[in-house]
Each structure stands twice: as C-alpha cells, then as structure tokens.
Amino acid sequence: MKDIGVTNHFKNVLDKLYSLFATSVKNRLELKECAEALDIQLCRIGRVLDTRWVASSFRTVEPIWNAYPALCKHFTNAAEDGFRDSSTRNMYTGLGRRLASIQFVANLGLMYDALQELSELSLELQKCDSTIIDAHRAICRQIAVFEAMVDRQGNHFSQCKKAIEQNIFQGVVLHKGKITDKINEQGQFFSSLAKNLRHRLLSTGGTISNDRKAEYDILISEVKVLYKQYWPDELPALYGESDIEPLCKRFNNGSRQTICAYREYKESGSKEIKRQFKELLIALHTIAISIAECERGFSQMNLICTSTRASLLTETTSSLMFLNLVGPPFRRFNPIPYVQSWLAKGRGRAHDSRSKA
C-alpha cells in the first residue's frame, strides 16, 4: 500500500496526528474533553502503514473516523486559543484545514474500506491453526474482493462521496484542499492492492525464482487432495494417491500406510482419520504461513524479561515462554492437587507467620 503515491499524503497527515497526541499528555486531555462534549468514544491514535501488522493501521484509521468531529473541534479550539503561541496556532489551523478537506475525507473512507479488508486478512493469517491451504485460499479470496471493489464502492467510501456532494461530513463543513492534495482514484487504488497482494503469493510474483514458484504451485495442488471441499463430485478409486506420495516423501512419512489410510479417509467422507494419515496432516500443519508465532514469542519474552526480572536464567525464561505460548489457558489449571502435595510434605502455608528458624 505504501507503493501507491497518493497514499503517502494521507499517511503524512496521520503521522502528524500521531506525533501531536503521542508526545503531549495535554493535547490528549484536550482532545478527550472535546470527545466527551460530543459524546464520542475516543480511542488512541497510533501510526499507520508502519512496520507493524496491517491490523494496527486499521486500529488507527478507525478511531479517526469515529472521532472525526472531536478532532476538528479540538483543532478549531486550539487555533483560537490565545494562550498558545502563533506558531502552534498556525499548526492547528493547518491540520484542521487538512482534516476538513474533501481530499482527506475521500481518502479516509477509501483507506477505511481497504484497511478493514486487509486487517481481517491479517488476523486470519495470524491464527495459530491456519494451514498453508487456508492462507492460500484467504489471499486468493481477498484478491478477488479487491478486484470486485475496482468497480464497486465500499461502504465507508460511499458515505464519504455522499458527504462530499453535500459538502458536510459528520457535521463538519468541508472545503477544497490544496492543489497538491490528491484523491486516490478508486479503480486504480484497489487494482494496485490486488496486484500487490497477488505479488506476495509465491506462485505469481516476488523475487522468488521460477523453480520455487513452480514448487509452490505443485505443493498447493498436492495439498488440495487432502481436503474434501476440493474433491470432485465423483471420486475415482485412485484419486489423490499420486499427490500423497510426494507429500509423504517431503515430510518423511511412510507412503504406503498413508495411502491406505487415505483411501479409508475418502470412503468415510473425510470423517475417519487413521493414525498414519493424521501424521501427514500434522506434518503439513507445521508449515509456517506467517511470522506471527515468532512475533508472539518476542512479545512474551519482553513481558517476562523486565527490568525487575533481568537475572532470570535462560532455561527459566525458555520454560516460562513455552508455558505462555503453548500451555493450556489459565482457567483450566487446577491448583488443588499441587497445594495438597505441598502441604503433605510439611511445607508451610502462604499465611503461616511462624519463623522457619
């Protein structure tokens, strides 16, 4: 999305908003007062289109959409505040005019629709149980959606277009912005998104060699025979077996036993899964489709290794990370057997005030 030139103008405005409210508690409190006066629930304004997951960018655009009247009111009040110096008042005046321009409003609606779609795709790819075929299907589906949105306006962009025709958006009077401010052309914008998203697939683009792309296509075609939704209406007796064999070689799994289990899997309509075939499915699910798990690991490490717990051993940190990442949820933990075992060994209770000496 950063490659689309007009998007950078929108990003620059949001970066200025982030800098304004992220570095000043006073500005945040004043904005909160304006939001409360207009009965608007205010959320934190963050960065957009940075190195984080695209869902974070959507969480930035969404509060700007919801708090748009409060932002405009805050900038108007700050621009007229005599206690501020002229430079600060001019800054607020400029930001207020940028927000109230028809170009910003149109781009806000367009970006809202696009980032909402990409955010849902991003969250889908971050799921722990997502497989490579799930990711491939989700990306292909999103490409088709963006191609359809080339000719059909999204919900929020449609609202913005109507507001521009009436020259008022959420109670704020609009005006024409600077000559340098541009509106993203809907067809070109979503066409570029579809093209860039298709470029991310190993089978169609990127800097991956042609051999790797062909290998990816072969892998996807082999994996599809494992899922009932891709089966033909009438299954031949040997359907999918020629694809199962290379998968077994790829994951070092016994091919003959797996093929026999696959036949029973087909006959049962994907209901009966024998151990040999289940091992192949488990091996397939180990293919990482995103770096989400790695990011979660770093996040947990930062939560565990704080400034007050800097002396933790590597083994202890590793064990705590393992429990937090792959352990069962806390609500399933039953502490009673462990407490009884502790007390049975003659160890003191937590509220025991007697000295151990």
Side-chain angles (χ1 to χ4, degrees), residues 89-209:
R89 292 199 302 270
N90 291 336
M91 178 191 66
Y92 278 107
T93 301
L95 283 174
R97 290 189 61 81
R98 292 291 292 274
L99 256 67
S101 66
I102 60 175
Q103 291 90 340
F104 179 83
V105 170
N107 290 332
L108 177 63
L110 201 64
M111 292 293 290
Y112 192 110
D113 290 330
L115 288 174
Q116 187 177 44
E117 293 287 343
L118 290 173
S119 173
E120 293 169 353
L121 174 63
S122 175
L123 294 175
E124 182 71 22
L125 297 179
Q126 293 180 51
K127 290 182 179 179
C128 298
D129 57 350
S130 291
T131 63
I132 186 171
I133 195 67
D134 294 332
H136 182 82
R137 184 171 61 247
I139 294 175
C140 291
R141 180 174 61 247
Q142 194 59 59
I143 291 173
V145 169
F146 282 148
E147 290 176 343
M149 294 179 73
V150 169
D151 301 317
R152 180 178 177 180
Q153 294 180 356
N155 180 37
H156 295 85
F157 184 60
S158 177
Q159 294 180 39
C160 291
K161 294 291 285 186
K162 293 179 181 178
I164 291 173
E165 293 175 359
Q166 299 172 1
N167 207 40
I168 187 169
F169 177 66
Q170 296 189 18
V172 178
V173 178
L174 304 179
H175 64 86
K176 291 184 178 180
K178 298 180 180 179
I179 300 178
T180 56
D181 294 338
K182 304 293 183 180
I183 298 178
N184 276 313
E185 200 279 318
Q186 175 191 346
Q188 181 182 0
F189 179 73
F190 284 108
S191 178
S192 298
L193 284 180
K195 180 181 178 181
N196 291 339
L197 197 57
R198 187 181 291 107
H199 195 67
R200 298 297 182 95
L201 285 174
L202 290 177
S203 60
T204 57
T207 57
I208 309 299
S209 64

Side-chain angles (χ1 to χ4, degrees), residues 247-298:
L247 281 177
C248 291
K249 292 181 180 179
R250 186 188 298 271
F251 296 107
N252 195 23
N253 199 31
S255 60
R256 192 59 203 169
Q257 297 87 344
T258 305
I259 288 176
C260 293
Y262 177 65
R263 290 174 179 173
E264 297 185 24
Y265 175 73
K266 289 188 298 182
E267 290 178 358
S268 64
S270 73
K271 296 179 180 179
E272 185 176 349
I273 304 177
K274 291 295 185 66
R275 179 183 59 82
Q276 295 85 350
F277 184 66
K278 188 175 183 179
E279 290 177 354
L280 178 61
L281 292 177
I282 293 174
L284 181 65
H285 292 173
T286 61
I287 299 178
I289 62 172
S290 71
I291 61 171
E293 291 295 330
C294 181
E295 295 286 350
R296 291 190 185 101
F298 282 114

